[in-house]
Amino acid sequence: MIAEPSSAIAASHQENSVHDETVPESTVQNGSCLRNGNLKTPRGKRKVQEQCENIRRNSSSTRKASQLQNGQVVEAVTLFEVVSVGKRAMQSVVDDWVEAYKQDRDVALLDLINFFIQCSGCQGMVTAEMFQSLPKSDVIQKMTETFDEETGLQYKKFMAYPWILTVTWPVDMDNEDYPLIKPGPYWKKFKANFCEFTAVLIQQCQCSILYDSYLMDTVISLLTGLADSMVRAFRHTSTLAALKLLTALVRVRLNLDVSKHNTQRLYEVEKNRITGKRTNCRLDQLERKRKECEQKPLEIQNMMNAIFKGTFLQRYRDVIPEIRAICIEEIGSWMKMYPDTFLNDSYLKYIGWMLYDKDRIVSMTLDKDHEVAVQAMKLLMLMSQNCEDALSSEDCETLYQFVYTTHRPLAVAAGEFLYKRLLNNQGDEEEGLPKSRGKFEPSASRLRILIAFFLESELHKHVAYLVDSLWDWAASLLKDWACMTSLLLQDAEEDGALSGAQENALIEIILVTVREAAEGHPPVGRGAAKKILSVKEKKIQLEDCTKITEHFIVVLPQLLAKYSADAEKVVNLLPVPQYYDLEAYSTGHLEQHLDALLKEVKDIVCKHSDMDVLEACSRIYDILCSGDLAIHSRVDLARTQLIDELVDQLNQLLHDSWHEEEGLCTGEEGISRICSALRRIAAFHNAHDLAKWNLHDKTSELLVFEMEHGSLPVQMILPALQCTYFALLWQLVAVGERPSSKETLLALRKDLRLFCQICTCYLSHKNKDLSEKAFMILCDLLLILSHQNSSSDEAVGLLEYLPSMSLQSKMLLFIQDHVFTEEEEEFKDLTEEEERTKEGYKLNDLHRRRSLLAVYCKLIVYNVVEMVAAAEIYKHYMKTYNDFGDIIKETLSRTRHNDKIQCAKTLVLCLQQLFQKHINTLGSSNSMELSSTSFMNIKELARRFSLTFGWDQVKSRESVAMIHKEGIEFAFQNAAVEGKCVPPNLHFLVIISEFSNKLLKPDKRLVYGYLQRYIKEPGFCKGDEWHPLVWYRNSLLANEEEESSVTGGIGEWSSMSPPKISTFKRKLSNGSLLETSPAEATNKIPDFQCTLQLASPAGKSRKRLKAQETSRPEYLPFLCPAGPKRRCSQNMIKAENFSEDVGEDVDVDVVGPEQVFVEFPSLQVSKG
């Protein structure tokens, strides 16, 4: 295989050694050699195999050229190396090769042959035999591809005139990657360089050696022979090279045609200029040049025909799709470049044959590469336009559904297909649809087709995606709001009136088109949230807003009056005014239409108790009540009158039905009326400050009564809870905006504490909806109280509220019960409608659980709740990855940004708790099996955690080191107390070994030294029970040059002490060395001089790490404490009790003068 970029120098000797083997016999006297051999004998084959192995074992970084230039030996590299690295201009590379070809064409040509062989990823060797030296009867026998069982090598022999080439490669080459299919930017660049080299080669040779009947004959023979190989790498590489050569030859042919035309004109001009029989040297020169220009195109055409017949005709039906793609791509470019030759039936038939599989093209719209899917959609649209029968109705229905995809270019292409095929091609589709009359007839018919398509797709919540897909093609239709509203205002008795479902769909389309025209932003998931508009687009946007305002100011009250009783229709009509130019009410003297709108909105509020409708009405008043509008006073008066009526109604109902001792005394009708009144007030309290109506005391009284007695209906408590919450929020806003007295602040503080107590009590309520609503409100309120924005420090101090440890535990238990506890599914035969209902319920339930988890994780991210609580969340990362993986991952990322060390401790705590649970399940750590499902799940979770650190090891250095430190301490916990040789948690080392690959090389040695502190007697660490220690040790010492010879037995542990030990120093504030007392020494675990001085990496490693070392912190203090300290009672893992801080060991996190620090690159650590 081709060497990686970092090892290109080391691989050059191998490649050049192969090159040395390919020099023909004629060049022996020049210092080169020829492997001219008969490989039929076993001895000869063994000799070739040995040479191949010697070449692979050779690790020299450079080779010396055997040629002398000016009496000096110069270094040289192969074409493959130069092209793969790509640091030189390709033209200069080709020019150098051309000069070498002119000096010795055999050597240069075999260099080129080797280049193509090596670009195929061949690890083997190439040998050459002169064709002239062989009898003609042996030539056919040489054209074979065989496998030699004795040597284990494959041979391919073919003619590349004037040689018979033999390519030798390992058997398994076909299963390995080769340069053209390797992933990564380096190999993409290699492919581009490879194609550029072939093009520049022809370009630079077109004026000289291209027509010598030697170069191109050999190259074409070589590529044709390789393209016929059974090995994919040869076929793919040679096909790409050959067709790129043909493309370059087409460019040469075009240049020759231009030159021929110019020469012919000059010749005719010169011929007409002379008179009589007088000779002219200029005319003779032009005559010779004209004949030359006529001869060269014939030679180029012969080369093109040879490549086309020898490569294209053999490979355009290849089983490998990449090879077929190359063929169809290149023939398309030939047709564009040189239509006179290629744009005819002789060549077009191949495109037709390759495109005959329509089903394959339809399926390509699902390709994972979005650009492929887009081009496939456009191709199908062209096929459909030029041949109506090309696509069946089923295919069209499949393609129509792509208007709902999130990838906007594909959706827009599908929208064009839908518009041109269905909406702009009125014919059979209109049959059976009622005809519209009047000036809106054409647009109305198209709208009916669009509505029918939308309803048939049964994706009623995705109308925004449908409109966005059609916006570029059907904007005039989608902006015809006059036609849309005329259809809605038709009487139900008229012919052609819309059904209820059609009216709902059309109203949704109206709302989405109005929003798209006014904002110009794509829906969620389709590109950036905000689109940058051009000057022309802004002008169109202003015109659309004016059109929306002028039309809907008049029409919207009529629509609301007609559909005031239909909640679904009203919800989609009420948001339209937010896209008005509201100044038009006053400047256009349209106050009568404003009064009509307010009257209809008030009627809707009185008719409905649905929260979606009420909140939409509340937003209308909020939009119209903006302080800078001329209509503010008129709308504010209407709003005040409406709220007065709602509050009076509630007060009257509570006065008639509520008794302080007995509670609520009324029937179901009275309860329903109270609930409706509360819901209306709650909807308005969300967007409007209703403090002057003093609603807090009334609703708070209901909540306290429910907390103490628990007899009120839930449908009454839910809006009362929201009203109280909104009232408190408006009070907090008032405190933040203007100074308040201490008495006011204390009263507010009392109300806040009481409300938090109420919500905490409701967490255990038997009603699920109430408990979850209380949890959501409590989380939001805690977040607000912990991040107040007030000009008064006194207000912040009095109102600040952080949850107690008891409350944190209750909230964590709530999350475990309501988010991560799955409900048992009932298995029974369901109808299609029941199945659809069940799926809808599952989606709604998932959305509810995600909302609960997200609001709780915000508390962790913003430090309202202790970060260690996240350990319980992280346990479910793998099991619930599809449902909550994005939320958990974002939480982990944000907490790591806040505090790297504490986040690392939380991850370790999560793994420790799972490990402890695993041990408790087994009953003893002695019976633990590393291959058990439970243990492997923990190990996999650790691997997933390690992946979240990314590739920047310097950035995550402290976090990963802390994970290893905490893991080592936990693994050896209680080892000395119980008097056992094997620590009970030793297997935990296998788990934290998943983080070893995230350590920098110096830190691996540092962690390894820290590990040695906990090994009392290395000689006794033998047996299978110590296998986790070996596992962890090997993960730390992987790729270490000093330890590369140590691979195995645990009995060799004593020899694993690092080879280089630094002078032990401890830096104190007074500059003296700290002596260890005997008592202190007896309490410590003996170390084995784990601290070591790291040798600076040499060579490439030194260069690679140099930039990293400059940005590292100077030390990792927690890896080199004065002595390993044990956690006894504090390290007991409790899954539910988070009152204890796992990060209380300040000696680990704080660097004092008595502690040791580590410096890079010269590491100094005390002996402990």
Side-chain angles (χ1 to χ4, degrees):
M1 299 303 294
I2 297 175
E4 295 292 340
S6 61
S7 59
I9 297 178
S12 64
H13 183 81
Q14 172 183 341
E15 295 159 357
N16 290 308
S17 298
V18 175
H19 168 70
D20 289 340
E21 296 289 342
T22 63
V23 182
E25 204 168 24
S26 60
T27 62
V28 173
Q29 62 271 23
N30 292 330
S32 299
C33 63
L34 167 67
R35 177 61 53 193
N36 181 13
N38 186 353
L39 299 177
K40 291 183 178 181
T41 64
R43 181 178 179 182
K45 295 175 181 178
R46 283 195 297 271
K47 190 173 183 181
V48 171
Q49 185 180 15
E50 292 172 359
Q51 292 166 347
C52 293
E53 293 172 353
N54 291 333
I55 291 169
R56 286 192 293 269
R57 285 195 295 265
N58 194 342
S59 60
S60 176
S61 60
T62 59
R63 78 171 176 96
K64 301 293 181 179
S66 57
Q67 297 178 351
L68 293 178
Q69 294 183 5
N70 298 326
Q72 296 180 350
V73 179
V74 297
E75 295 185 2
V77 292
T78 62
L79 281 175
F80 173 76
E81 292 172 354
V82 176
V83 173
S84 60
V85 174
K87 291 185 178 180
R88 292 181 58 190
M90 204 58 65
Q91 184 172 344
S92 64
V93 174
V94 174
D95 288 342
D96 292 344
W97 181 88
V98 171
E99 290 299 322
Y101 181 88
K102 292 178 180 179
Q103 295 178 11
D104 191 330
R105 66 181 187 178
D106 289 339
V107 174
L109 197 52
L110 286 175
D111 252 348
L112 185 63
I113 292 172
N114 257 315
F115 167 73
F116 289 116
I117 297 297
Q118 291 170 339
C119 287
S120 302
C122 181
Q123 288 182 326
M125 59 183 297
V126 181
T127 61
E129 308 171 62
M130 296 304 294
F131 169 64
Q132 292 89 340
S133 64
L134 295 175
K136 292 185 178 181
S137 59
D138 294 338
V139 173
I140 299 178
Q141 189 177 2
K142 295 286 185 181
M143 306 297 109
T144 58
E145 185 169 336
T146 60
F147 169 64
D148 186 3
E149 297 180 357
E150 182 178 353
T151 62
L153 300 175
Q154 281 184 286
Y155 295 87
K156 179 176 179 61
K157 297 187 179 184
F158 57 94
M159 178 185 294
Y161 187 85
W163 299 289
I164 302 296
L165 296 180
T166 302
V167 183
T168 310
W169 69 93
V171 179
D172 58 348
M173 177 182 166
D174 206 25
N175 299 325
E176 298 179 0
D177 289 340
Y178 53 94
L180 291 186
I181 65 171
K182 281 188 176 182
Y186 176 81
W187 297 111
K188 289 183 180 179
K189 182 180 178 182
F190 168 80
K191 182 178 180 180
N193 292 341
F194 178 72
C195 296
E196 182 184 2
F197 175 82
T198 57
V200 175
L201 178 65
I202 299 299
Q203 176 186 341
Q204 297 301 104
C205 296
Q206 63 179 327
C207 297
S208 56
I209 60 177
L210 188 63
Y211 308 99
D212 66 353
S213 301
Y214 190 80
L215 169 64
M216 292 305 297
D217 289 351
T218 305
V219 172
I220 293 174
S221 299
L222 168 71
L223 297 179
T224 303
L226 290 177
D228 194 37
S229 173
M230 293 184 293
V231 179
R232 169 180 173 169
F234 288 149
R235 291 204 317 277
H236 191 179
T237 307
S238 60
T239 300
L240 177 62
L243 298 188
K244 288 296 181 182
L245 284 177
L246 200 157
T247 303
L249 289 173
V250 170
R251 294 192 183 96
V252 174
R253 177 63 188 273
L254 290 173
N255 294 335
L256 290 175
D257 288 347
V258 173
S259 178
K260 178 181 177 182
H261 176 72
N262 294 337
T263 304
Q264 182 65 30
R265 290 184 59 187
L266 290 174
Y267 178 81
E268 292 175 356
V269 170
E270 187 68 21
K271 185 176 181 180
N272 295 331
R273 189 174 63 85
I274 64 175
T275 58
K277 297 183 180 180
R278 186 175 55 183
T279 60
N280 188 296
C281 297
R282 172 65 174 168
L283 186 62
D284 295 339
Q285 292 177 355
L286 291 175
E287 175 68 19
R288 288 193 297 271
K289 188 174 181 181
R290 187 168 65 92
K291 293 180 179 180
E292 180 181 349
C293 291
E294 292 176 353
Q295 180 62 28
K296 286 184 177 180
L298 296 177
E299 296 184 25
I300 295 296
Q301 188 64 45
N302 292 335
M303 299 176 193
M304 293 165 54
N305 292 337
I307 296 176
F308 186 84
K309 295 178 181 179
T311 303
F312 181 88
L313 293 184
Q314 306 301 323
R315 298 276 67 85
Y316 82 95
R317 291 181 295 181
D318 197 283
V319 295
I320 305 300
E322 291 84 357
I323 297 178
R324 299 198 303 272
I326 292 172
C327 294
I328 195 170
E329 179 182 0
E330 294 304 317
I331 195 174
S333 66
W334 304 335
M335 291 177 179
K336 288 183 178 180
M337 295 167 57
Y338 200 20
D340 293 344
T341 298
F342 291 98
L343 196 59
N344 54 54
D345 294 345
S346 300
Y347 295 95
L348 285 172
K349 64 183 179 182
Y350 298 109
I351 292 183
W353 289 342
M354 285 188 278
L355 295 180
Y356 81 98
D357 193 353
K358 176 181 63 64
D359 294 336
R360 169 61 181 148
I361 302 175
V362 173
S363 67
M364 288 175 67
T365 55
L366 295 170
D367 196 279
K368 63 180 180 180
D369 188 338
H370 292 308
E371 185 60 29
V372 173
V374 171
Q375 296 302 325
M377 182 67 71
K378 292 181 178 180
L379 176 60
L380 290 168
M381 183 186 64
L382 293 174
M383 293 170 60
S384 174
Q385 286 179 324
N386 292 279
C387 181
E388 294 184 359
D389 299 334
L391 298 175
S392 63
S393 58
E394 292 79 6
D395 294 331
C396 292
E397 291 297 330
T398 301
L399 298 176
Y400 292 158
Q401 299 304 314
F402 282 94
V403 296
Y404 297 107
T405 186
T406 56
H407 185 64
R408 195 173 192 277
L410 178 58
V412 171
E416 182 183 6
F417 181 81
L418 173 65
Y419 176 73
K420 293 181 178 179
R421 178 84 182 189
L422 190 63
L423 300 179
N424 202 31
N425 186 20
Q426 300 180 15
D428 296 338
E429 293 84 356
E430 295 185 355
E431 294 183 5
L433 293 176
K435 299 292 184 182
S436 302
R437 300 183 179 89
K439 61 180 180 178
F440 300 118
E441 191 272 330
S443 296
S445 300
R446 294 182 181 180
L447 284 173
R448 292 177 186 277
I449 296 173
L450 180 62
I451 293 170
F453 168 76
F454 175 59
L455 293 176
E456 290 173 1
S457 64
E458 298 183 351
L459 296 172
H460 299 171
K461 295 183 180 180
H462 295 75
V463 64
Y465 296 90
L466 173 62
V467 169
D468 183 61
S469 302
L470 292 169
W471 194 258
D472 294 345
W473 312 106
S476 59
L477 173 65
L478 297 175
K479 293 179 184 179
D480 196 350
W481 295 296
C483 176
M484 297 180 188
T485 53
S486 67
L487 289 174
L488 292 174
L489 292 173
Q490 282 182 337
D491 293 334
E493 293 78 14
E494 290 186 18
D495 294 337
L498 300 176
S499 64
Q502 290 176 325
E503 289 176 339
N504 288 334
L506 183 55
I507 290 174
E508 284 187 67
I509 292 174
I510 288 176
L511 175 60
V512 173
T513 53
V514 167
R515 181 168 58 237
E516 183 90 6
E519 296 181 346
H521 304 319
V524 177
R526 281 193 180 173
K530 291 186 178 181
K531 180 182 177 182
I532 300 176
L533 303 178
S534 63
V535 176
K536 182 179 179 181
E537 290 173 334
K538 288 181 180 179
K539 181 180 179 181
I540 295 174
Q541 188 181 54
L542 291 175
E543 293 174 353
D544 291 339
C545 287
T546 302
K547 184 179 178 181
I548 292 169
T549 302
E550 293 175 351
H551 179 74
F552 283 98
I553 275 182
V554 178
V555 174
L556 184 60
Q558 303 174 30
L559 294 174
L560 292 176
K562 180 177 180 179
Y563 299 113
S564 60
D566 193 323
E568 185 177 357
K569 294 182 176 67
V570 167
V571 166
N572 289 320
L573 287 172
L574 287 173
V576 172
Q578 65 181 302
Y579 305 107
Y580 288 178
D581 178 10
L582 296 176
E583 295 291 349
Y585 277 118
S586 55
T587 58
H589 305 289
L590 302 174
E591 287 83 359
Q592 71 275 14
H593 297 295
L594 175 63
D595 294 336
L597 175 63
L598 295 174
K599 176 180 178 298
E600 296 301 332
V601 174
K602 181 178 179 180
D603 291 343
I604 291 171
V605 172
C606 297
K607 289 180 181 179
H608 293 273
S609 61
D610 181 78
M611 287 301 294
D612 292 335
V613 176
L614 296 174
E615 288 177 355
C617 294
S618 175
R619 283 193 294 270
I620 285 284
Y621 282 101
D622 183 53
I623 293 169
L624 298 177
C625 278
S626 298
D628 56 346
L629 293 176
I631 61 174
H632 169 73
S633 57
R634 184 187 295 262
V635 179
D636 183 57
L637 178 61
R639 177 183 62 179
T640 302
Q641 293 174 351
L642 174 61
I643 295 176
D644 281 338
E645 294 179 9
L646 296 177
V647 173
D648 291 343
Q649 181 184 11
L650 176 63
N651 290 336
Q652 185 64 39
L653 290 171
L654 291 177
H655 181 270
D656 297 341
S657 307
W658 181 260
H659 302 283
E660 293 185 2
E661 296 82 7
E662 301 178 4
L664 193 64
C665 300
T666 185
E668 293 184 0
E669 183 179 355
I671 293 175
S672 176
R673 295 176 64 188
I674 294 175
C675 293
S676 298
L678 285 171
R679 291 165 72 87
R680 294 186 183 105
I681 293 175
F684 276 84
H685 215 337
N686 187 7
H688 307 273
D689 186 4
L690 308 183
K692 64 181 180 180
W693 283 276
N694 193 22
L695 294 167
H696 174 270
D697 294 341
K698 300 181 181 64
T699 56
S700 181
E701 184 180 358
L702 295 175
L703 299 179
V704 172
F705 185 88
E706 171 64 17
M707 181 178 64
E708 296 175 351
H709 300 87
S711 59
L712 295 180
V714 173
Q715 60 267 32
M716 181 187 296
I717 299 300
L718 282 172
L721 188 68
Q722 289 180 296
C723 283
T724 309
Y725 173 56
F726 295 142
L728 293 173
L729 290 185
W730 282 110
Q731 293 183 53
L732 287 172
V733 171
V735 169
E737 291 178 348
R738 56 183 178 271
S740 302
S741 64
K742 188 173 183 179
E743 291 75 12
T744 303
L745 294 176
L746 290 175
L748 178 56
R749 178 183 179 181
K750 180 181 178 182
D751 293 339
L752 288 170
R753 298 296 188 273
L754 176 61
F755 184 73
C756 289
Q757 183 182 356
I758 292 171
C759 290
T760 303
C761 178
Y762 287 173
L763 293 181
S764 57
H765 199 279
K766 61 182 179 181
N767 185 272
K768 187 176 181 180
D769 293 335
L770 179 57
S771 63
E772 292 181 354
K773 175 61 72 174
F775 181 82
M776 297 282 289
I777 290 176
L778 179 60
C779 290
D780 287 340
L781 184 59
L782 289 175
L783 186 61
I784 293 171
L785 293 178
S786 62
H787 293 76
Q788 297 180 58
N789 185 17
S790 176
S791 58
S792 173
D793 295 337
E794 182 182 13
V796 173
L798 288 174
L799 300 179
E800 185 178 10
Y801 179 75
L802 292 175
S804 64
M805 299 307 297
S806 175
L807 178 56
Q808 292 186 39
S809 299
K810 290 180 180 179
M811 297 176 73
L812 183 57
L813 286 173
F814 183 90
I815 286 294
Q816 292 174 340
D817 294 338
H818 289 257
V819 176
F820 297 115
T821 302
E822 297 182 358
E823 298 180 358
E824 296 183 1
E825 299 183 2
E826 297 181 2
F827 296 95
K828 60 180 182 179
D829 296 334
L830 300 176
T831 63
E832 184 177 352
E833 184 65 26
E834 290 174 339
E835 191 70 31
R836 189 181 297 110
T837 303
K838 182 180 177 181
E839 291 298 325
Y841 170 78
K842 285 183 178 180
L843 289 176
N844 293 333
D845 181 68
L846 177 60
H847 177 70
R848 173 187 59 80
R849 293 160 63 196
R850 285 176 58 85
S851 300
L852 291 173
L853 180 60
V855 75
Y856 179 74
C857 288
K858 280 197 297 185
L859 298 182
I860 299 175
V861 170
Y862 289 100
N863 298 320
V864 180
V865 173
E866 294 291 338
M867 192 184 296
V868 291
E872 286 296 322
I873 307 296
Y874 297 156
K875 291 178 183 178
H876 304 276
Y877 180 59
M878 282 181 53
K879 186 177 180 181
T880 62
Y881 184 82
N882 292 335
D883 295 337
F884 311 116
D886 56 335
I887 299 176
I888 298 176
K889 197 181 231 181
E890 184 66 17
T891 304
L892 178 56
S893 175
R894 295 288 187 92
T895 54
R896 182 176 294 150
H897 179 75
N898 294 341
D899 190 338
K900 295 180 181 179
I901 300 300
Q902 190 59 36
C903 179
K905 291 181 178 181
T906 304
L907 291 180
V908 175
L909 179 62
C910 170
L911 297 173
Q912 289 172 356
Q913 290 176 354
L914 292 173
F915 182 82
Q916 195 69 49
K917 181 180 179 181
H918 177 65
I919 291 180
N920 295 337
T921 302
L922 297 176
S924 173
S925 61
N926 296 331
S927 58
M928 183 178 298
E929 294 183 3
L930 298 181
S931 60
S932 63
T933 303
S934 177
F935 186 85
M936 292 303 295
N937 288 340
I938 303 174
K939 189 171 181 290
E940 176 63 18
L941 180 61
R943 189 186 71 84
R944 294 287 187 93
F945 285 162
S946 71
L947 293 177
T948 62
F949 287 100
W951 295 103
D952 192 346
Q953 293 177 309
V954 175
K955 184 178 180 180
S956 60
R957 184 188 185 199
E958 293 86 354
S959 302
V960 177
M962 177 56 71
I963 289 176
H964 283 276
K965 175 187 177 298
E966 294 284 316
I968 291 172
E969 292 179 357
F970 177 77
F972 290 93
Q973 180 179 294
N974 299 329
V977 176
E978 299 181 7
K980 296 181 179 179
C981 183
V982 180
N985 299 332
L986 187 66
H987 288 76
F988 193 72
L989 294 176
V990 177
I991 295 174
I992 63 172
S993 67
E994 294 293 335
F995 298 91
S996 296
N997 62 335
K998 297 299 179 181
L999 284 169
L1000 290 171
K1001 187 175 180 180
D1003 293 346
K1004 284 186 178 182
R1005 304 300 301 271
L1006 206 61
V1007 171
Y1008 172 67
Y1010 191 78
L1011 173 67
Q1012 283 185 304
R1013 292 170 174 260
Y1014 288 86
I1015 309 300
K1016 290 184 177 181
E1017 297 292 340
F1020 294 110
C1021 299
K1022 299 179 180 180
D1024 294 340
E1025 63 273 13
W1026 289 97
H1027 180 70
L1029 184 60
V1030 180
W1031 185 308
Y1032 183 56
R1033 180 202 65 188
N1034 291 340
S1035 70
L1036 294 176
L1037 298 177
N1039 300 324
E1040 289 284 340
E1041 294 179 0
E1042 296 88 350
E1043 307 293 343
S1044 61
S1045 61
V1046 182
T1047 58
I1050 191 64
E1052 299 177 1
W1053 175 262
S1054 58
S1055 64
M1056 288 300 296
S1057 57
K1060 296 183 180 180
I1061 303 175
S1062 65
T1063 303
F1064 300 112
K1065 297 180 181 179
R1066 177 166 298 179
K1067 296 193 176 182
L1068 304 177
S1069 57
N1070 57 2
S1072 61
L1073 294 178
L1074 179 64
E1075 298 295 337
T1076 304
S1077 63
E1080 183 183 1
T1082 57
N1083 293 330
K1084 294 180 180 178
I1085 297 177
D1087 340 327
F1088 290 92
Q1089 297 180 344
C1090 65
T1091 55
L1092 46 115
Q1093 182 173 357
L1094 297 179
S1096 299
K1100 292 184 179 179
S1101 300
R1102 176 63 181 175
K1103 295 180 180 179
R1104 185 177 63 253
L1105 295 176
K1106 184 176 181 180
Q1108 298 177 349
E1109 291 171 355
T1110 58
S1111 60
R1112 291 181 197 148
E1114 289 186 352
Y1115 48 82
L1116 293 174
F1118 45 77
L1119 286 179
C1120 302
K1125 297 186 178 182
R1126 305 296 183 83
R1127 297 182 184 178
C1128 298
S1129 60
Q1130 292 183 355
N1131 271 350
M1132 298 301 294
I1133 306 302
K1134 298 181 180 180
E1136 298 176 359
N1137 186 5
F1138 291 92
S1139 60
E1140 299 178 3
D1141 186 3
V1142 299
E1144 290 179 353
D1145 291 344
V1146 295
D1147 61 299
V1148 170
D1149 298 328
V1150 180
V1151 183
E1154 74 282 3
Q1155 288 182 305
V1156 190
F1157 69 91
V1158 182
E1159 295 180 344
F1160 291 96
S1162 60
L1163 183 63
Q1164 295 181 347
V1165 184
S1166 89
K1167 184 179 179 181

